[in-house]
Amino acid sequence: MRYFDHHAIGDEVPTGALFEAMVDTASDTCTSLLVDRRIAGACHGWALVGAYGDNLTGVADRLASDWGYGKGDRLRLRRMGEAINYNAYGNHEPDVLIVPARLYEIMVRYRDPRDMLAHESVIDEIDALRRQDVLRALAIAPYTQDPRASVLLLPDEPWSRLLMFIATLREHGAGRVSAVVPYLAYARKDRRTQPYDPVSLRHVARLFEAVETDQLITLEVHNVAAFQSAFRCQTVHLNAYHAFDAVACRTHAGQRDRRRARRRTPRAFIKCGWACAGCARHCGCLPPGYRSRPA
């Protein structure tokens, strides 16, 4: 089993004869670039698509130039990466244009992403939807505004349902609300890399705080320290590598080690939904020894 990750996973990395981990937490890399490095550059094109989709535009442009991709190809691969990434933002499959598993079935047919762009229309369809959503967001008139700020009332759409749900729970008397967000969208941008750059992680944190979220539980953020600093509410970060540790132990370890691995595996990785109250009590997904007040 080979495991690739560009997130901070703590000091403990699983080891074993059947397990190989390739972890690099540098701010100028992503999982697709790590995989491309492992396979000796056999799929540079897909590595660039992943890097563009992960908001590493400067890094991807530089690598594309080094690898002989022209400006036109770079623009097409960037549009493709951003479209694939946009299609991943949803709480349920109906929230996205195409189910990710189905999209993968299309992507895996092509060794070069440029061939997929030439023969498939799905990226154009996703990109058109993305642009349409941006125009709809820009068209929202402020509810109120002054020279210092403006207030927008968001529609009941997939991208804002989680925050509205939390606010509704609070409004109807919930004493404590914990949001379980396995993939924290827009959290990848956790530092400013150029003047006036938006630090999207900070803005995401403010949105959750605005609806009085008591606790945020997420999986595999890019920078744990930045994640913890951005939020004023209680935060819990879970590492997915424990799940792979359990699989590796079941493969070649004894029965006692297998039981121990299963106990260490965070069940939130496979069990929790996108939001719940009292997650520690009902789902048991928090780290050993963690205690939370009941919802």
Side-chain angles (χ1 to χ4, degrees):
M1 176 182 291
R2 295 188 178 98
Y3 175 73
F4 301 86
D5 203 340
H6 70 278
H7 301 98
I9 63 174
D11 298 330
E12 180 186 355
V13 178
T15 59
L18 301 178
F19 184 82
E20 177 187 354
M22 188 170 183
V23 179
D24 187 344
T25 59
S27 60
D28 60 350
T29 193
C30 61
T31 304
S32 63
L33 294 178
L34 295 180
V35 173
D36 189 62
R37 186 191 309 172
R38 177 64 176 76
I39 61 177
C43 294
H44 279 334
W46 284 114
L48 293 173
V49 170
Y52 280 124
D54 212 9
N55 201 30
L56 295 177
T57 305
V59 174
D61 282 341
R62 175 176 55 80
L63 292 175
S65 180
D66 293 343
W67 293 339
Y69 288 81
K71 182 178 180 180
D73 284 337
R74 294 200 299 268
L75 291 176
R76 284 189 287 272
L77 295 180
R78 177 178 178 178
R79 185 172 72 97
M80 186 179 196
E82 292 175 348
I84 293 173
N85 190 48
Y86 185 76
N87 188 71
Y89 292 150
N91 295 321
H92 309 284
E93 290 183 351
D95 292 342
V96 297
L97 179 66
I98 179 172
V99 176
R102 172 57 183 154
L103 181 58
Y104 168 77
E105 292 175 356
I106 298 174
M107 295 166 59
V108 78
R109 301 172 191 164
Y110 299 93
R111 187 176 184 86
D112 191 320
R114 292 172 293 186
D115 293 335
M116 177 177 166
L117 290 173
H119 294 92
E120 306 286 350
S121 62
V122 64
I123 297 300
D124 293 330
E125 296 169 8
I126 297 174
D127 186 61
L129 178 63
R130 182 178 70 87
R131 294 177 183 276
Q132 177 184 340
D133 287 348
V134 170
L135 291 176
R136 291 171 60 189
L138 293 175
I140 298 176
Y143 177 75
T144 182
Q145 65 181 43
D146 60 33
R148 296 175 299 174
S150 61
V151 177
L152 301 179
L153 296 180
L154 303 180
D156 184 14
E157 298 291 343
W159 57 279
S160 62
R161 286 176 185 162
L162 172 60
L163 297 178
M164 296 183 69
F165 179 64
I166 294 173
T168 301
L169 292 177
R170 276 296 197 187
E171 183 180 355
H172 289 275
R176 180 176 174 82
V177 177
S178 297
V180 181
V181 191
Y183 179 73
L184 187 60
Y186 300 105
R188 177 66 170 80
K189 189 66 173 177
D190 50 42
R191 67 185 183 92
R192 185 171 287 111
T193 55
Q194 55 186 347
Y196 308 108
D197 226 1
V199 182
S200 58
L201 174 61
R202 186 184 307 161
H203 303 315
V204 170
R206 289 174 178 172
L207 289 173
F208 278 97
E209 291 163 3
V211 294
E212 300 181 44
T213 307
D214 293 288
Q215 179 177 249
L216 185 80
I217 305 169
T218 191
L219 186 75
E220 295 291 349
V221 297
H222 177 252
N223 186 316
V224 178
F227 163 69
Q228 293 172 339
S229 299
F231 286 82
R232 288 179 293 180
C233 65
Q234 189 178 34
T235 58
V236 176
H237 175 257
L238 301 176
N239 290 313
Y241 73 87
H242 284 301
F244 293 95
D245 186 15
V247 174
C249 287
R250 285 197 295 271
T251 302
H252 66 277
Q255 182 68 26
R256 184 171 61 180
D257 289 338
R258 291 198 294 270
R259 288 197 299 268
R260 184 182 304 118
R262 282 195 293 269
R263 287 197 297 270
R264 290 200 305 265
T265 304
R267 278 173 280 174
F269 186 69
I270 57 176
K271 187 175 181 180
C272 284
W274 52 269
C276 68
C279 184
R281 183 177 59 181
H282 298 299
C283 299
C285 68
L286 298 180
Y290 182 85
R291 294 292 183 269
S292 173
R293 290 181 296 163

